[in-house]
Amino acid sequence: MCGRARCTLRPEQVARACGIDDASSPPTLQMDRYHPSFNVSPGSYLPVVRKEGNAGKGAVIHCMKWGLIPSFTKKNEKLDHFRMFNARSESVSEKASFRRLVPNNRCLVAVEGFYEWKKDGTKKQPYYVHFNDRRPLVLAALYDYWENSEGEIFCTFTILTTCCSSALQWLHDRMPVILGNKSAMDAWLNGCPSFEVESVLKSYEDPDLVWYPVTPEMGKPSFNGPECIKEIQLKPVEKNPISKFFFKTSEIKCESFPEVKSSSEEATQTNQFEDVKEEPTTHETKEEVLDFGGHGTDNKLEVQSLLKEGAEKCGTKRNYKQFAVDSEFPDTIKMPSLEKKENPKSKEERQQTLLSYFQRR
DNA sequence: CCAGACGTTGTT
DNA sequence: GTCTGG
DNA sequence: CCAGACGTTGTT
DNA sequence: GTCTGG
């Protein structure tokens, strides 16, 4: 499934990720509705790349609400964006609400990553899933227009899902359809109405899709900011409660597994597009790879020899590259939930100790 | 013919 | 809009 | 997706 | 439990 994501991409980044020709100044529509967020959920607006017009082959970035409202929805019906925020790709060509959109209402949604909750009995642990080179994920989606009784047009979309890749099966059974290359994106966006959609509606199996656990606090939709994607250290699961008095969690904490694959993909920046009016060009020239903390220096090395298996059991899979640069979140951006947090994480909290284990309870 | 549905997820 | 059910 | 509410009356 | 809201 896909019910939560990070999208703090600027329109140019969306355009570039989706393969729009003139990505430097893409045509946009209703972008004032776009509020970049580390915690996007159904019901909020995201930039969607769709074809411009019927015959025109150009693309436009159109900000739409996540959660499909089919055009045939009754004029006076109460809108429910939380019912159809996903569409099963396996049945999308049969279901009445989606079927009619497949030929002519396909679109792309670019996000930096998405969240997935792992259920362990009563507990739910969220993980952040993303590409190890931090290029955006381009997701397959469908959109529709609906007009209310006052003549207002509502633009909404739904993200297609498929079964999880074998690598992500441990986490969930469903995942969004990730269009992993230019031809898949192009086919989905520009393919003729009768094109064989099944060919691109596959689960993404490549090993550059990685993940790590994040704070359960981000489950609250109002919790926003870079803290959402900060890697956390999972507490080891202890069968025997007594044993936790006898080991140092710092010794057995999960280490990362360095992916050895090198990617030629251009790393994308993670700056904000908070408000075009305020600082439209400030970030234009930056090509720096940025990240928003959370990857303590203590995580950086000595992990080379660790087994992949062990790392993945501990719920982390990542690439060296993401530690190449350690930078702060730009302070030009308003991030309310961050501002409230007066204390930055102490080293104590980053590197888990027996003391912190109890302090946090 | 008209009326009514049209969905996913996870959990039971 | 389009299909299913009565 | 998860979090949070889950109610009425009358008055401002 | 189930619905609504973000």
Side-chain angles (χ1 to χ4, degrees), chain A residues 4-9 37-40 46 110-115 128 134 229 269-272 291-292 329:
Chain A
R4 214 70 82 81
R6 169 194 178 186
C7 184
T8 56
L9 299 165
S37 170
F38 285 84
N39 203 350
V40 185
L46 282 182
V111 298
E112 283 105 327
F114 62 92
Y115 302 93
Y128 180 62
R134 275 169 296 168
I229 61 156
Q269 60 204 64
T270 51
N271 309 332
Q272 297 308 284
D291 200 9
F292 299 100
F329 188 70

Side-chain angles (χ1 to χ4, degrees), chain A residues 75 146-154:
Chain A
K75 294 286 185 195
W146 175 76
E147 185 177 350
N148 73 2
S149 52
E150 272 112 58
E152 297 169 296
I153 307 291
F154 290 70

Side-chain angles (χ1 to χ4, degrees), chain A residues 98 110 141 165 217 268 277 290 335 343:
Chain A
F98 305 136
S165 64
E217 290 200 84
T268 52
K277 285 161 279 178
L290 298 179
M335 281 295 162
N343 300 322

Side-chain angles (χ1 to χ4, degrees), chain A residues 87-94 98 102 106-108 138-142 158-164 174-180 184-185 187-189 195-205:
Chain A
R88 291 179 67 90
S89 58
E90 297 93 333
S91 55
V92 76
S93 295
E94 287 122 51
F98 305 136
V102 173
R106 302 187 299 261
C107 60
L108 305 174
V138 176
L139 309 180
L142 296 168
T158 186
I159 293 175
L160 275 73
T161 62
T162 186
C163 56
C164 257
R174 308 293 298 169
M175 72 187 287
V177 172
I178 300 168
L179 302 173
M185 293 176 209
W188 186 253
L189 187 61
F195 116 95
E196 187 86 2
V197 292
E198 295 74 28
S199 59
V200 298
L201 300 182
K202 306 284 182 190
S203 61
Y204 187 87
E205 295 283 350

Side-chain angles (χ1 to χ4, degrees), chain A residues 2 9 12 54 64 91 104 112 243 276 284 330 334 345:
Chain A
C2 184
L9 299 165
E12 310 87 80
N54 303 321
M64 302 187 190
S91 55
N104 295 301
E112 283 105 327
S243 66
V276 206
E284 292 281 354
K334 292 168 283 182
K345 291 280 184 202

Side-chain angles (χ1 to χ4, degrees), chain A residues 116-291:
Chain A
E116 204 69 87
W117 279 259
K118 165 102 182 135
K119 284 201 170 73
D120 285 315
T122 168
K123 299 198 167 155
K124 281 181 290 187
Q125 173 59 51
Y127 289 79
Y128 180 62
V129 184
H130 63 107
F131 278 136
N132 63 11
D133 64 359
R134 275 169 296 168
R135 73 187 190 279
L137 311 178
V138 176
L139 309 180
L142 296 168
Y143 70 92
D144 204 357
Y145 298 142
W146 175 76
E147 185 177 350
N148 73 2
S149 52
E150 272 112 58
E152 297 169 296
I153 307 291
F154 290 70
C155 312
T156 59
F157 69 94
T158 186
I159 293 175
L160 275 73
T161 62
T162 186
C163 56
C164 257
S165 64
S166 50
L168 273 169
Q169 205 86 61
W170 65 275
L171 180 58
H172 253 292
D173 61 334
R174 308 293 298 169
M175 72 187 287
V177 172
I178 300 168
L179 302 173
N181 56 64
K182 189 72 179 7
S183 71
M185 293 176 209
D186 184 63
W188 186 253
L189 187 61
N190 301 311
C192 67
S194 59
F195 116 95
E196 187 86 2
V197 292
E198 295 74 28
S199 59
V200 298
L201 300 182
K202 306 284 182 190
S203 61
Y204 187 87
E205 295 283 350
D206 290 358
D208 57 347
L209 193 63
V210 296
W211 56 82
Y212 54 82
V214 295
T215 177
E217 290 200 84
M218 59 71 53
K220 196 196 297 260
S222 61
F223 189 88
N224 200 352
E227 193 82 356
C228 291
I229 61 156
K230 178 174 179 176
E231 181 172 5
I232 64 157
Q233 189 58 58
L234 291 182
K235 288 175 190 152
V237 189
E238 286 311 305
K239 315 285 184 211
N240 180 359
I242 295 297
S243 66
K244 69 180 150 200
F245 291 95
F246 290 102
F247 65 40
K248 288 186 238 165
T249 56
S250 58
E251 282 174 5
I252 57 137
K253 72 178 182 180
C254 303
E255 296 291 357
S256 58
F257 172 74
E259 294 285 298
V260 285
K261 177 177 176 292
S262 75
S263 171
S264 58
E265 297 279 350
E266 187 182 2
T268 52
Q269 60 204 64
T270 51
N271 309 332
Q272 297 308 284
F273 168 78
E274 173 60 18
D275 192 335
V276 206
K277 285 161 279 178
E278 286 174 11
E279 292 210 7
T281 58
T282 311
H283 306 302
E284 292 281 354
T285 56
K286 283 195 192 172
E287 284 299 324
E288 206 63 12
V289 174
L290 298 179
D291 200 9

